[in-house]
Amino acid sequence: DQQVKQNSPSLSVQEGRISILNCDYTNSMFDYFLWYKKYPAEGPTFLISISSIKDKNEDGRFTVFLNKSAKHLSLHIVPSQPGDSAVYFCAAVVHNAGNMLTFGGGTRLMVKP
Amino acid sequence: SAVISQKPSRDICQRGTSLTIQCQVDSQVTMMFWYRQQPGQSLTLIATANQGSEATYESGFVIDKFPISRPNLTFSTLTVSNMSPEDSSIYLCSVERSAGWSTEAFFGQGTRLTVV
């Protein structure tokens, strides 16, 4: 049973346009969400996070939106750059339950020049 | 943050052999995590390694196949035993830092294992 799902395995976007990566979850106990970026031959690196008490968190070109009622979060990258081409994983945490991350399946983003 | 050194970065191994992956953290941590990323798949947690006790394995993973050592608070090893081509994956070690609501995981660069 996948508790965190990224239904789009890949996404292609033109440079300068917006990239929107989506993530759905089923466990209503999740109270903290993270996005990670992974380049080939490297470990994932942290990008941005949001707690369940917020519905939006912004950091430069990256914004994460959380819709708790829909159990849905999304990552917006504006403007997209070729260097953003990577695999993006969303992850969710239940605090006070080990704090272990549950990852989605990943979305490969390709930003075309 | 945490700096994690993982080695080897890649290896090609014969089936039936074993490979031990090492993970060194630049600071003391209570728990270290081992993940597997099979081709085209997500990150799957194999086990959680606590210093001074046996590792806790997730469903589908057993100690005989993936023995883990945790001799101190900065180091851990994962062994992939009696390898088969199905074990070809990227293996990643990870640590987490929590502060209030914030939890962040830091990863090693991964070990790309190919079993032939």
Side-chain angles (χ1 to χ4, degrees):
Chain A
D1 176 32
Q2 269 191 297
Q3 296 188 64
V4 180
K5 294 182 182 179
Q6 293 174 255
N7 291 318
S8 298
S10 65
L11 174 68
S12 182
V13 171
Q14 203 67 35
E15 180 180 8
R17 306 295 291 269
I18 183 171
S19 295
I20 300 177
L21 297 99
N22 294 303
C23 181
D24 296 292
Y25 61 96
T26 57
N27 187 348
S28 58
M29 298 297 291
F30 287 138
D31 53 12
Y32 194 76
F33 304 89
L34 309 92
W35 283 95
Y36 280 82
K37 180 168 70 174
K38 185 180 185 300
Y39 293 117
E42 294 183 15
T45 55
F46 172 75
L47 200 54
I48 193 169
S49 62
I50 188 168
S51 77
S52 59
I53 62 174
K54 295 185 175 181
D55 54 20
K56 177 183 175 181
N57 189 25
E58 190 173 353
D59 184 2
R61 297 187 296 115
F62 303 92
T63 302
V64 56
F65 296 92
L66 176 62
N67 182 336
K68 287 189 293 294
S69 60
K71 294 190 178 68
H72 176 84
L73 65 154
S74 61
L75 174 68
H76 292 212
I77 306 174
V78 182
S80 302
Q81 299 173 354
D84 296 329
S85 298
V87 177
Y88 290 79
F89 293 97
C90 67
V93 176
V94 179
H95 278 96
N96 302 321
N99 287 0
M100 288 182 290
L101 274 63
T102 301
F103 285 89
T107 297
R108 181 177 298 280
L109 173 66
M110 292 162 285
V111 180
K112 298 178 180 177
Chain B
S1 66
V3 177
I4 303 174
S5 300
Q6 185 176 340
K7 60 180 181 181
S9 59
R10 59 176 59 228
D11 208 342
I12 301 173
C13 301
Q14 296 290 323
R15 70 171 66 208
T17 63
S18 298
L19 175 72
T20 295
I21 302 167
Q22 299 180 5
C23 188
Q24 178 77 50
V25 188
D26 67 342
S27 56
Q28 294 183 340
V29 292
T30 304
M31 294 194 291
M32 294 178 72
F33 304 90
W34 286 98
Y35 288 87
R36 180 174 75 181
Q37 185 189 13
Q38 292 179 301
Q41 302 294 316
S42 182
L43 298 154
T44 302
L45 182 65
I46 297 172
T48 303
N50 292 320
Q51 194 270 334
S53 64
E54 279 201 0
T56 303
Y57 288 82
E58 299 299 304
S59 176
F61 299 97
V62 295
I63 187 170
D64 290 345
K65 176 66 176 177
F66 298 101
I68 287 172
S69 79
R70 186 77 205 276
N72 57 54
L73 289 172
T74 63
F75 187 78
S76 179
T77 67
L78 170 77
T79 298
V80 186
S81 303
N82 188 24
M83 288 184 283
S84 65
E86 291 72 33
D87 295 320
S88 298
S89 290
I90 298 173
Y91 293 85
L92 296 141
C93 65
S94 171
V95 301
E96 292 184 5
R97 295 244 189 269
S98 295
W101 277 99
S102 170
T103 296
E104 187 176 333
F106 301 90
F107 290 85
Q109 75 269 34
T111 297
R112 182 179 292 274
L113 171 62
T114 303
V115 183
V116 297

